[in-house]
Amino acid sequence: GEDVEQSLFLSVREGDSSVINCTYTDSSSTYLYWYKQEPGAGLQLLTYIFSNMDMKQDQRLTVLLNKKDKHLSLRIADTQTGDSAIYFCAESKAAGSYQLTFGKGTKLSVIP
Amino acid sequence: DAGVIQSPRHEVTEMGQEVTLRCKPISGHNSLFWYRQTMMRGLELLIYFNNNVPIDDSGMPEDRFSAKMPNASFSTLKIQPSEPRDSAVYFCASSFNRYEQYFGPGTRLTVT
């Protein structure tokens, strides 16, 4: 199966919280990343978490990591229309590794 | 900082023609990556340079693809001859610490 899996679509109402989920298969993954891609643009690094952490918060973004279940989530509080984009989860397999394995991306649609 | 710069943003060419994609990484970054994005395969790493030296080119699909980095501020990805299945968005990314990769806006290549 795929190394990194994400659901393809998520739709939320403006002002609600969005939760984008990701599962990975390699227990040796050391860094896990969330990238955002707006239409016609490159990938923008949002945040990343080291595998010995459970949670990381940065303004409206909260990342939760369940290493036992190999599950990563990105919560966006007070979702805005500007948050509409494709969100990619990625993992790196070893400390200091440049190799990132990306999921296929979750398209977030925010309904005004 | 202007970020990673890629040119051209769009390229349409006929099968059999040579295509050259260009990238200027962020000043001070010592790692450079070329990725390809398609609907079917998602994001794939093609080649990774560190300090202008190719470290891993195992993702380059075949001999028709070649990449160079003659200096710290410039890299090219060349496809010769191009084929319709090469149609994709090609991203260049650069990094100063391997954990944070900064992506350019991409080049959308269409081979007819």
Side-chain angles (χ1 to χ4, degrees):
Chain A
E2 296 288 332
D3 291 314
V4 180
E5 291 193 356
Q6 304 176 237
S7 53
L8 294 182
F9 302 98
L10 177 65
S11 185
V12 299
R13 293 204 174 274
E14 190 174 16
D16 289 349
S17 292
S18 308
V19 180
I20 303 171
N21 295 302
C22 168
T23 56
Y24 58 98
T25 56
D26 193 332
S27 58
S28 67
S29 295
T30 53
Y31 282 88
L32 295 133
Y33 301 79
W34 285 105
Y35 281 84
K36 175 184 180 183
Q37 185 179 30
E38 297 184 25
L43 276 72
Q44 173 194 354
L45 177 62
L46 287 177
T47 186
Y48 61 94
I49 188 168
F50 189 52
S51 58
N52 68 354
M53 298 169 64
D54 297 325
M55 185 181 91
K56 182 177 181 181
Q57 188 156 1
D58 183 1
Q59 299 181 335
R60 292 190 298 122
L61 305 180
T62 303
V63 178
L64 294 178
L65 175 60
N66 182 328
K67 198 172 180 183
K68 174 175 168 289
D69 294 338
K70 301 188 187 69
H71 182 265
L72 182 74
S73 68
L74 174 70
R75 179 176 180 270
I76 306 172
D78 187 25
T79 311
Q80 303 297 306
T81 54
D83 295 324
S84 294
I86 301 175
Y87 290 81
F88 291 90
C89 171
E91 61 172 354
S92 69
K93 292 191 184 298
S97 172
Y98 57 87
Q99 282 273 16
L100 294 183
T101 301
F102 287 86
K104 291 286 179 66
T106 299
K107 183 173 182 178
L108 174 65
S109 299
V110 182
I111 305 165
Chain B
D1 196 318
V4 175
I5 298 172
Q6 291 187 247
S7 64
R9 293 295 312 276
H10 302 274
E11 176 79 37
V12 180
T13 191
E14 291 183 348
M15 183 173 65
Q17 296 297 305
E18 177 181 296
V19 175
T20 300
L21 311 181
R22 296 172 175 81
C23 174
K24 177 178 167 52
I26 293 172
S27 177
H29 285 191
N30 60 359
S31 296
L32 185 137
F33 310 80
W34 282 101
Y35 288 89
R36 178 171 67 176
Q37 185 181 40
T38 61
M39 289 293 291
M40 290 298 295
R41 300 173 68 92
L43 268 160
E44 303 171 280
L45 177 65
L46 299 178
I47 188 168
Y48 159 58
F49 291 87
N50 186 246
N51 293 323
N52 311 339
V53 175
I55 303 299
D56 182 359
D57 65 355
S58 59
M60 296 285 263
E62 45 197 277
D63 291 345
R64 298 185 297 106
F65 285 69
S66 63
K68 293 182 180 179
M69 191 164 186
N71 57 61
S73 59
F74 184 66
S75 177
T76 59
L77 177 68
K78 186 176 291 186
I79 308 172
Q80 166 64 17
S82 58
E83 296 183 3
R85 61 192 168 116
D86 302 330
S87 297
V89 181
Y90 291 81
F91 289 104
C92 175
S94 70
S95 176
F96 63 95
N97 65 5
R98 294 191 290 186
Y99 304 124
E100 301 178 29
Q101 295 185 22
Y102 294 84
F103 282 70
T107 294
R108 181 173 295 275
L109 173 65
T110 303
V111 183
T112 59

